[in-house]
Coordinates of all heavy atoms in Angstrom, one line a residue:
S164 N -0.2 3.9 14.9 CA -0.1 3.8 13.4 C 0.8 5.0 13.0 O 0.8 6.1 13.6 CB -1.5 3.9 12.8 OG -2.0 5.2 12.8
R165 N 1.4 4.8 11.9 CA 2.3 5.9 11.3 C 1.5 6.7 10.3 O 0.7 6.1 9.6 CB 3.5 5.2 10.6 CG 4.4 4.6 11.6 CD 5.7 4.1 10.9 NE 5.6 4.0 9.5 CZ 6.5 3.5 8.7 NH1 7.6 3.1 9.3 NH2 6.4 3.5 7.4
E166 N 1.8 7.9 10.2 CA 1.2 8.8 9.2 C 2.1 8.8 8.0 O 3.3 9.0 8.1 CB 1.1 10.2 9.8 CG 0.4 11.2 8.8 CD 0.3 12.6 9.4 OE1 0.1 12.7 10.6 OE2 0.4 13.5 8.6
L167 N 1.5 8.6 6.8 CA 2.2 8.6 5.6 C 2.4 10.1 5.1 O 1.4 10.8 5.0 CB 1.5 7.8 4.5 CG 2.1 7.7 3.2 CD1 3.5 7.1 3.2 CD2 1.2 7.0 2.2
K168 N 3.6 10.5 4.8 CA 3.8 11.8 4.4 C 4.3 11.8 2.9 O 5.3 11.1 2.6 CB 4.9 12.5 5.2 CG 4.4 12.7 6.7 CD 5.3 13.7 7.4 CE 4.8 13.8 8.8 NZ 4.5 15.0 9.3
L169 N 3.6 12.5 2.1 CA 3.9 12.5 0.7 C 4.4 13.9 0.3 O 3.7 14.9 0.6 CB 2.7 12.2 -0.2 CG 2.0 10.9 0.0 CD1 0.7 10.7 -0.7 CD2 3.0 9.8 -0.4
D170 N 5.6 14.0 -0.3 CA 6.1 15.3 -0.7 C 5.5 15.8 -2.0 O 5.5 17.0 -2.2 CB 7.6 15.2 -0.8 CG 8.3 15.0 0.5 OD1 7.8 15.4 1.6 OD2 9.4 14.3 0.5
L171 N 5.2 14.9 -2.8 CA 4.7 15.3 -4.2 C 3.6 14.4 -4.6 O 3.7 13.1 -4.6 CB 5.8 15.2 -5.2 CG 5.5 15.6 -6.6 CD1 5.1 17.1 -6.7 CD2 6.7 15.3 -7.5
L172 N 2.4 14.9 -5.0 CA 1.3 14.2 -5.5 C 1.4 14.3 -7.0 O 1.6 15.4 -7.6 CB 0.0 14.7 -5.0 CG -0.2 14.7 -3.5 CD1 -1.5 15.4 -3.2 CD2 -0.2 13.3 -3.0
S173 N 1.3 13.2 -7.7 CA 1.4 13.1 -9.2 C 0.1 12.7 -9.8 O -0.4 11.7 -9.4 CB 2.6 12.2 -9.6 OG 2.7 12.2 -10.9
F174 N -0.4 13.4 -10.7 CA -1.6 13.1 -11.4 C -1.3 12.9 -12.9 O -0.7 13.8 -13.5 CB -2.7 14.2 -11.2 CG -3.0 14.5 -9.8 CD1 -2.2 15.4 -9.0 CD2 -4.0 13.8 -9.2 CE1 -2.5 15.6 -7.7 CE2 -4.3 14.0 -7.8 CZ -3.6 14.9 -7.1
H175 N -1.8 11.8 -13.5 CA -1.5 11.5 -14.9 C -2.8 11.3 -15.6 O -3.7 10.6 -15.2 CB -0.7 10.2 -14.9 CG -0.4 9.8 -16.3 ND1 -0.9 8.6 -16.8 CD2 0.3 10.4 -17.3 CE1 -0.5 8.5 -18.1 NE2 0.2 9.5 -18.4
F176 N -2.9 12.0 -16.7 CA -4.0 11.9 -17.7 C -3.5 11.3 -18.9 O -2.6 11.9 -19.6 CB -4.7 13.2 -17.9 CG -5.3 13.9 -16.7 CD1 -4.6 14.7 -15.9 CD2 -6.6 13.5 -16.3 CE1 -5.1 15.3 -14.8 CE2 -7.2 14.1 -15.2 CZ -6.4 15.0 -14.5
G177 N -3.9 10.1 -19.3 CA -3.4 9.5 -20.5 C -4.2 8.2 -20.8 O -5.3 8.1 -20.5
A178 N -3.5 7.3 -21.5 CA -4.1 6.1 -22.0 C -4.9 6.3 -23.2 O -4.8 5.6 -24.2 CB -4.8 5.3 -21.0
A179 N -5.7 7.4 -23.2 CA -6.5 7.8 -24.4 C -6.2 9.3 -24.5 O -5.5 9.9 -23.7 CB -8.0 7.6 -24.3
E180 N -6.7 10.0 -25.5 CA -6.4 11.4 -25.7 C -7.2 12.2 -24.7 O -8.5 12.3 -24.8 CB -6.8 11.8 -27.1 CG -6.6 13.3 -27.4 CD -5.3 13.8 -27.1 OE1 -4.3 13.3 -27.7 OE2 -5.2 14.8 -26.3
P181 N -6.6 12.8 -23.7 CA -7.3 13.5 -22.6 C -8.1 14.7 -23.1 O -9.1 15.1 -22.6 CB -6.2 13.9 -21.6 CG -5.0 13.4 -22.1 CD -5.2 12.8 -23.4
F182 N -7.6 15.3 -24.2 CA -8.3 16.5 -24.7 C -9.6 16.2 -25.5 O -10.3 17.2 -25.9 CB -7.3 17.4 -25.6 CG -6.2 18.0 -24.8 CD1 -4.9 17.8 -25.2 CD2 -6.4 18.7 -23.7 CE1 -3.8 18.3 -24.4 CE2 -5.4 19.2 -22.9 CZ -4.1 19.0 -23.3
L183 N -9.9 14.9 -25.7 CA -11.2 14.6 -26.3 C -12.3 15.0 -25.4 O -13.4 15.4 -25.9 CB -11.3 13.1 -26.6 CG -10.6 12.6 -27.8 CD1 -10.6 11.1 -27.9 CD2 -11.2 13.2 -29.1
N184 N -12.1 15.0 -24.1 CA -13.1 15.5 -23.2 C -12.5 16.7 -22.4 O -12.2 16.6 -21.2 CB -13.5 14.4 -22.2 CG -14.8 14.7 -21.5 OD1 -15.2 15.8 -21.4 ND2 -15.5 13.7 -21.1
E185 N -12.4 17.8 -23.1 CA -11.7 19.0 -22.6 C -12.4 19.5 -21.3 O -11.7 19.8 -20.4 CB -11.7 20.0 -23.7 CG -11.1 21.3 -23.3 CD -11.2 22.4 -24.4 OE1 -11.3 22.0 -25.6 OE2 -11.2 23.6 -24.1
K186 N -13.7 19.5 -21.3 CA -14.4 20.0 -20.2 C -14.1 19.2 -18.9 O -13.8 19.8 -17.9 CB -15.9 20.0 -20.4 CG -16.8 20.5 -19.3 CD -18.3 20.4 -19.7 CE -19.1 20.9 -18.5 NZ -19.7 19.8 -17.7
N187 N -14.1 17.9 -19.0 CA -13.8 17.1 -17.8 C -12.4 17.2 -17.4 O -12.1 17.3 -16.2 CB -14.1 15.6 -18.0 CG -15.6 15.4 -17.9 OD1 -16.4 16.2 -17.6 ND2 -16.0 14.1 -18.2
L188 N -11.4 17.4 -18.3 CA -10.0 17.5 -18.0 C -9.8 18.9 -17.3 O -9.2 18.9 -16.2 CB -9.2 17.5 -19.3 CG -7.7 17.8 -19.0 CD1 -7.1 16.6 -18.2 CD2 -7.0 18.0 -20.3
I189 N -10.4 19.9 -17.7 CA -10.3 21.2 -17.1 C -10.9 21.2 -15.7 O -10.3 21.7 -14.7 CB -11.0 22.3 -18.0 CG1 -10.2 22.6 -19.2 CG2 -11.2 23.6 -17.2 CD1 -10.8 23.4 -20.3
E190 N -12.1 20.6 -15.5 CA -12.7 20.5 -14.2 C -11.8 19.7 -13.3 O -11.6 20.0 -12.1 CB -14.1 19.8 -14.3 CG -15.1 20.7 -14.9 CD -16.5 20.1 -15.1 OE1 -16.6 18.9 -14.8 OE2 -17.4 20.7 -15.6
A191 N -11.2 18.6 -13.8 CA -10.3 17.7 -12.9 C -9.1 18.5 -12.5 O -8.7 18.5 -11.3 CB -9.9 16.5 -13.7
V192 N -8.5 19.2 -13.4 CA -7.3 20.0 -13.0 C -7.6 21.1 -12.0 O -6.9 21.3 -11.1 CB -6.6 20.6 -14.3 CG1 -5.5 21.6 -13.9 CG2 -6.0 19.4 -15.1
E193 N -8.8 21.8 -12.2 CA -9.2 22.8 -11.3 C -9.4 22.2 -9.9 O -9.1 22.8 -8.9 CB -10.4 23.5 -11.8 CG -10.1 24.4 -13.0 CD -11.3 25.0 -13.7 OE1 -12.5 24.6 -13.4 OE2 -11.2 25.9 -14.5
Y194 N -10.0 21.1 -9.8 CA -10.3 20.4 -8.6 C -9.0 20.0 -7.9 O -8.8 20.2 -6.7 CB -11.2 19.2 -8.8 CG -11.5 18.4 -7.5 CD1 -12.5 18.9 -6.7 CD2 -10.8 17.3 -7.1 CE1 -12.8 18.2 -5.5 CE2 -11.1 16.6 -6.0 CZ -12.1 17.1 -5.1 OH -12.4 16.5 -4.0
I195 N -8.0 19.4 -8.7 CA -6.7 19.1 -8.1 C -6.0 20.3 -7.6 O -5.5 20.3 -6.5 CB -5.9 18.4 -9.3 CG1 -6.4 17.0 -9.6 CG2 -4.4 18.4 -8.8 CD1 -5.8 16.5 -10.9
N196 N -6.1 21.4 -8.3 CA -5.4 22.6 -7.9 C -6.1 23.1 -6.6 O -5.3 23.5 -5.6 CB -5.5 23.7 -8.9 CG -4.6 23.5 -10.1 OD1 -3.6 22.8 -10.0 ND2 -5.0 24.1 -11.2
K197 N -7.4 23.1 -6.5 CA -8.1 23.5 -5.3 C -7.7 22.7 -4.1 O -7.3 23.2 -3.0 CB -9.6 23.5 -5.5 CG -10.4 23.9 -4.3 CD -11.9 23.7 -4.6 CE -12.7 24.0 -3.3 NZ -14.1 23.6 -3.5
K198 N -7.8 21.4 -4.2 CA -7.5 20.5 -3.1 C -6.1 20.5 -2.7 O -5.8 20.4 -1.5 CB -8.0 19.1 -3.4 CG -9.5 18.9 -3.5 CD -10.1 19.3 -2.1 CE -11.6 19.2 -2.1 NZ -12.1 19.5 -0.8
T199 N -5.1 20.5 -3.6 CA -3.7 20.5 -3.2 C -3.4 21.8 -2.5 O -2.6 21.9 -1.6 CB -2.8 20.2 -4.4 OG1 -3.1 21.2 -5.5 CG2 -2.9 18.8 -4.9
K200 N -4.0 22.9 -3.0 CA -3.7 24.2 -2.3 C -4.3 24.2 -0.9 O -3.6 24.6 0.1 CB -4.3 25.4 -3.1 CG -4.0 26.7 -2.6 CD -4.5 27.8 -3.5 CE -4.2 29.2 -2.9 NZ -4.6 30.3 -3.8
E201 N -5.6 23.7 -0.7 CA -6.2 23.7 0.6 C -5.4 22.8 1.6 O -5.3 23.1 2.8 CB -7.6 23.0 0.5 CG -8.6 23.9 -0.1 CD -10.0 23.2 -0.3 OE1 -10.1 22.0 0.0 OE2 -10.9 23.9 -0.8
N202 N -4.8 21.8 1.1 CA -4.0 20.8 1.9 C -2.5 21.0 1.9 O -1.8 20.2 2.4 CB -4.4 19.4 1.5 CG -5.8 19.1 1.8 OD1 -6.2 19.0 3.0 ND2 -6.6 18.9 0.8
R203 N -2.1 22.1 1.3 CA -0.7 22.5 1.2 C 0.2 21.4 0.7 O 1.2 21.0 1.3 CB -0.2 23.0 2.5 CG -0.9 24.2 3.0 CD -0.3 24.8 4.3 NE -1.2 25.9 4.8 CZ -1.6 25.9 6.0 NH1 -1.3 25.0 6.9 NH2 -2.4 27.0 6.4
K204 N -0.2 20.8 -0.4 CA 0.5 19.7 -1.0 C 1.1 20.2 -2.3 O 0.5 20.9 -3.1 CB -0.4 18.5 -1.3 CG -1.0 17.9 -0.1 CD 0.0 17.1 0.7 CE -0.6 16.4 1.9 NZ 0.4 15.8 2.7
N205 N 2.3 19.7 -2.6 CA 2.9 19.9 -3.9 C 2.4 18.9 -4.9 O 2.0 17.7 -4.5 CB 4.5 19.7 -3.8 CG 5.1 20.8 -3.0 OD1 4.7 22.0 -3.1 ND2 6.0 20.4 -2.1
K206 N 2.2 19.3 -6.2 CA 1.7 18.4 -7.2 C 2.4 18.6 -8.5 O 3.0 19.6 -8.7 CB 0.2 18.6 -7.3 CG -0.2 20.1 -7.7 CD -0.9 20.2 -9.0 CE -1.5 21.5 -9.3 NZ -0.6 22.6 -9.3
E207 N 2.2 17.6 -9.3 CA 2.6 17.7 -10.7 C 1.5 17.0 -11.5 O 0.8 16.1 -11.1 CB 4.0 17.0 -11.0 CG 3.9 15.5 -10.8 CD 5.3 14.8 -11.2 OE1 6.2 15.5 -11.5 OE2 5.3 13.6 -11.1
I208 N 1.3 17.6 -12.7 CA 0.2 17.0 -13.6 C 0.9 16.6 -14.9 O 1.6 17.4 -15.5 CB -0.9 18.1 -13.8 CG1 -1.6 18.4 -12.5 CG2 -1.9 17.5 -14.9 CD1 -2.6 19.5 -12.6
L209 N 0.7 15.4 -15.3 CA 1.3 14.8 -16.5 C 0.2 14.5 -17.5 O -0.9 14.0 -17.1 CB 2.1 13.6 -16.2 CG 3.2 13.7 -15.2 CD1 2.7 13.4 -13.8 CD2 4.4 12.9 -15.5
I210 N 0.4 14.8 -18.7 CA -0.6 14.5 -19.8 C 0.1 13.8 -21.0 O 1.1 14.3 -21.4 CB -1.3 15.8 -20.3 CG1 -2.1 16.5 -19.1 CG2 -2.2 15.6 -21.5 CD1 -2.7 17.8 -19.5
N211 N -0.5 12.7 -21.4 CA -0.1 12.1 -22.6 C -1.0 12.6 -23.7 O -2.3 12.5 -23.6 CB -0.3 10.6 -22.6 CG 0.8 9.9 -21.8 OD1 1.2 10.4 -20.7 ND2 1.3 8.8 -22.3
T212 N -0.5 13.2 -24.8 CA -1.3 13.7 -25.9 C -0.5 13.7 -27.2 O 0.7 13.7 -27.1 CB -1.8 15.1 -25.6 OG1 -2.6 15.6 -26.7 CG2 -0.7 16.1 -25.3
N213 N -1.2 13.7 -28.3 CA -0.5 13.8 -29.6 C -0.6 15.3 -30.0 O -0.1 15.6 -31.1 CB -1.0 12.9 -30.6 CG -2.5 13.1 -30.9 OD1 -3.1 14.1 -30.6 ND2 -3.1 12.1 -31.5
L214 N -1.2 16.2 -29.2 CA -1.3 17.6 -29.5 C -2.2 18.0 -30.7 O -2.2 19.2 -31.0 CB 0.1 18.2 -29.6 CG 1.0 18.1 -28.3 CD1 2.4 18.7 -28.6 CD2 0.4 18.9 -27.2
T215 N -2.8 17.1 -31.3 CA -3.6 17.4 -32.5 C -4.9 18.2 -32.1 O -5.4 19.0 -33.0 CB -4.0 16.2 -33.3 OG1 -4.8 15.3 -32.5 CG2 -2.8 15.5 -33.9
L216 N -5.4 18.1 -30.9 CA -6.6 18.8 -30.5 C -6.3 20.1 -29.8 O -7.2 20.7 -29.3 CB -7.5 17.9 -29.6 CG -8.0 16.6 -30.3 CD1 -8.7 15.8 -29.3 CD2 -8.8 16.9 -31.5
T217 N -5.0 20.5 -29.7 CA -4.6 21.6 -28.9 C -4.8 22.9 -29.7 O -4.4 23.0 -30.9 CB -3.1 21.5 -28.5 OG1 -2.9 20.2 -28.0 CG2 -2.8 22.5 -27.5
D218 N -5.4 23.9 -29.1 CA -5.6 25.2 -29.7 C -5.0 26.2 -28.7 O -4.5 25.9 -27.6 CB -7.0 25.5 -30.1 CG -8.0 25.5 -28.9 OD1 -7.5 25.4 -27.7 OD2 -9.2 25.4 -29.1
K219 N -5.1 27.5 -29.0 CA -4.5 28.5 -28.1 C -5.1 28.5 -26.7 O -4.4 28.6 -25.8 CB -4.7 29.9 -28.8 CG -4.1 31.0 -27.9 CD -4.1 32.3 -28.5 CE -3.5 33.5 -27.7 NZ -3.1 33.3 -26.3
S220 N -6.5 28.3 -26.6 CA -7.1 28.3 -25.3 C -6.5 27.1 -24.5 O -6.3 27.3 -23.3 CB -8.6 28.2 -25.4 OG -9.0 27.0 -26.0
L221 N -6.3 26.0 -25.1 CA -5.8 24.8 -24.3 C -4.3 25.1 -24.0 O -3.9 24.7 -22.9 CB -5.9 23.5 -25.1 CG -7.2 22.8 -25.0 CD1 -7.3 21.6 -25.9 CD2 -7.5 22.4 -23.6
L222 N -3.6 25.7 -24.9 CA -2.2 26.0 -24.5 C -2.1 27.0 -23.4 O -1.3 26.9 -22.5 CB -1.4 26.6 -25.7 CG -1.2 25.5 -26.9 CD1 -0.6 26.2 -28.1 CD2 -0.3 24.4 -26.4
D223 N -3.0 28.0 -23.4 CA -3.1 29.0 -22.3 C -3.4 28.2 -21.0 O -2.9 28.5 -19.9 CB -4.1 30.1 -22.6 CG -3.7 31.0 -23.7 OD1 -2.5 31.0 -24.0 OD2 -4.6 31.7 -24.2
F224 N -4.3 27.3 -21.0 CA -4.7 26.5 -19.9 C -3.5 25.7 -19.3 O -3.3 25.7 -18.1 CB -5.9 25.6 -20.3 CG -6.2 24.6 -19.2 CD1 -7.0 24.9 -18.1 CD2 -5.8 23.3 -19.3 CE1 -7.3 24.0 -17.1 CE2 -6.1 22.3 -18.3 CZ -6.9 22.7 -17.2
I225 N -2.8 25.1 -20.2 CA -1.6 24.3 -19.8 C -0.6 25.2 -19.1 O 0.0 24.9 -18.1 CB -1.0 23.6 -21.1 CG1 -1.9 22.5 -21.5 CG2 0.4 23.1 -20.8 CD1 -1.5 22.0 -22.9
I226 N -0.4 26.4 -19.7 CA 0.6 27.3 -19.1 C 0.1 27.8 -17.7 O 0.8 27.9 -16.7 CB 0.9 28.5 -20.0 CG1 1.7 27.9 -21.3 CG2 1.7 29.6 -19.3 CD1 1.7 28.9 -22.4
K227 N -1.2 28.3 -17.7 CA -1.8 28.8 -16.5 C -1.7 27.8 -15.3 O -1.5 28.2 -14.2 CB -3.2 29.2 -16.8 CG -4.0 29.7 -15.5 CD -5.4 29.9 -15.9 CE -6.2 30.1 -14.6 NZ -7.6 30.0 -14.8
N228 N -1.9 26.6 -15.6 CA -2.0 25.6 -14.6 C -0.7 24.8 -14.4 O -0.6 23.8 -13.7 CB -3.1 24.6 -14.9 CG -4.5 25.2 -14.7 OD1 -4.9 25.4 -13.6 ND2 -5.1 25.6 -15.8
K229 N 0.4 25.3 -15.0 CA 1.7 24.8 -14.8 C 1.8 23.3 -15.0 O 2.4 22.6 -14.3 CB 2.2 25.2 -13.4 CG 2.3 26.7 -13.1 CD 2.7 27.0 -11.7 CE 2.6 28.5 -11.6 NZ 2.7 29.0 -10.2
I230 N 1.2 22.9 -16.1 CA 1.3 21.5 -16.5 C 2.5 21.4 -17.3 O 2.6 21.8 -18.5 CB 0.0 21.1 -17.3 CG1 -1.2 21.3 -16.5 CG2 0.2 19.7 -17.8 CD1 -2.5 21.1 -17.2
I231 N 3.6 21.0 -16.7 CA 4.9 21.1 -17.3 C 5.4 19.8 -17.9 O 6.4 19.8 -18.7 CB 6.0 21.6 -16.3 CG1 6.0 20.7 -15.1 CG2 5.7 23.0 -15.8 CD1 7.1 21.0 -14.1
K232 N 4.7 18.7 -17.6 CA 5.1 17.5 -18.2 C 4.1 17.0 -19.2 O 3.0 16.6 -18.8 CB 5.4 16.4 -17.1 CG 6.5 16.9 -16.2 CD 6.9 15.8 -15.2 CE 8.0 16.3 -14.4 NZ 8.5 15.3 -13.5
I233 N 4.4 17.1 -20.5 CA 3.5 16.7 -21.5 C 4.2 15.7 -22.4 O 5.3 16.0 -22.9 CB 3.0 17.9 -22.4 CG1 2.2 18.9 -21.5 CG2 2.1 17.4 -23.5 CD1 1.8 20.1 -22.2
F234 N 3.7 14.5 -22.5 CA 4.3 13.5 -23.3 C 3.5 13.4 -24.6 O 2.3 13.2 -24.6 CB 4.3 12.2 -22.6 CG 5.0 12.3 -21.3 CD1 4.3 12.4 -20.1 CD2 6.4 12.2 -21.2 CE1 4.9 12.5 -18.9 CE2 7.0 12.3 -20.0 CZ 6.3 12.5 -18.8
F235 N 4.1 13.5 -25.7 CA 3.4 13.3 -27.0 C 4.1 12.3 -27.9 O 5.3 12.1 -27.8 CB 3.1 14.6 -27.7 CG 4.4 15.4 -28.0 CD1 5.0 15.3 -29.2 CD2 4.9 16.3 -27.1 CE1 6.1 16.0 -29.5 CE2 6.1 17.0 -27.4 CZ 6.7 16.8 -28.6
F236 N 3.3 11.7 -28.7 CA 3.8 10.6 -29.6 C 3.4 10.9 -31.0 O 2.4 11.5 -31.3 CB 3.2 9.2 -29.2 CG 3.6 8.9 -27.7 CD1 2.8 9.2 -26.7 CD2 4.8 8.4 -27.5 CE1 3.1 9.0 -25.4 CE2 5.2 8.1 -26.2 CZ 4.3 8.4 -25.1

């Protein structure tokens, strides 16, 4: 059997407003960061949001966790 090699893991939070459940989003991103670091994988995190629920703490979280792709409508 062949081993599948992935250069980049992509995680997308969207379809509904992800910041409505801020606690779960933060826990999920922290888990993703932990597991990708343990397994030496590159990752990207994408979020669909309208930014209406964003405050300074969430913006700091986005910057700290290098969430560089944010789509808003």
Side-chain angles (χ1 to χ4, degrees):
S164 80
R165 293 184 345 183
E166 182 179 327
L167 179 63
K168 296 198 182 229
L169 301 174
D170 293 331
L171 178 68
L172 301 176
S173 182
F174 300 89
H175 176 244
F176 296 92
E180 177 55 57
F182 293 127
L183 281 173
N184 197 336
E185 179 182 334
K186 180 179 179 259
N187 282 355
L188 177 66
I189 289 170
E190 288 176 1
V192 169
E193 289 172 347
Y194 182 80
I195 290 166
N196 287 338
K197 177 183 174 189
K198 290 300 183 179
T199 54
K200 185 175 181 179
E201 286 174 1
N202 294 292
R203 297 185 187 129
K204 298 288 184 183
N205 295 317
K206 58 119 171 58
E207 67 178 0
I208 298 175
L209 302 93
I210 295 179
N211 283 42
T212 179
N213 60 17
L214 298 174
T215 57
L216 299 176
T217 313
D218 59 13
K219 182 172 179 353
S220 66
L221 277 176
L222 291 175
D223 290 343
F224 172 79
I225 289 168
I226 292 166
K227 174 186 167 197
N228 290 282
K229 300 176 182 165
I230 301 171
I231 57 171
K232 296 186 179 186
I233 299 177
F234 304 97
F235 57 93
F236 302 93

